[in-house]
Structure formats: C-alpha cells, structure tokens
Amino acid sequence: MKTISLGKSSDQVSVIGLGCMGMSEFYGPRDEQESIATIHRALDLGINFLDTADMYGSARMRSW
C-alpha cells in the first residue's frame, strides 16, 4: 500500500482510508462482527488511515 506523510509529521498513512461512519449507529443498527472483520481486512491490506470522527458515535468502536 502506498503511504504519504500525515501533515508535517513523519507519520505515514495509507493513501486509501477506511471511512467508519457506517460502523457506528449513525445510519441505524450496526453489525459489530462485520465491522471488526472489515477493519481487520483493511489492516491486512495495509490500510492504516481510519476515519473515526467523534460524531460517529460509540467510543468503543473508536478505541481500536
């Protein structure tokens, strides 16, 4: 997976990110097991940039 610097830091993030709003209760009921599997697959593929804005809901989901 190609990476880029995050802002002016030396931290590297994947150029492809995973939006996690659909994994919260923002759109209604969620499937926690499917959300976990999706995050694991993204990490397996080298995606390390997860969009987990506070407005999405459950802090438990953001703690990964």
Side-chain angles (χ1 to χ4, degrees), residues 15-64:
V15 296
I16 297 174
L18 175 64
C20 298
M21 185 162 64
M23 298 177 194
S24 69
E25 296 172 347
F26 194 84
Y27 291 120
R30 63 187 173 102
D31 183 334
E32 186 168 350
Q33 292 303 314
E34 186 66 25
S35 297
I36 292 169
T38 300
I39 290 171
H40 281 243
R41 181 65 177 144
L43 294 172
D44 290 344
L45 294 172
I47 297 169
N48 67 354
F49 185 50
L50 307 179
D51 180 357
T52 59
D54 286 341
M55 70 171 280
Y56 295 164
S58 176
R60 185 170 48 136
M61 293 295 293
R62 292 191 312 270
S63 66
W64 298 335

Side-chain angles (χ1 to χ4, degrees), residues 1-17 46-49:
M1 175 65 59
K2 183 177 177 182
T3 60
I4 57 174
S5 294
L6 181 61
K8 295 180 181 180
S9 75
S10 62
D11 295 334
Q12 296 289 303
V13 295
S14 55
V15 296
I16 297 174
I47 297 169
N48 67 354
F49 185 50

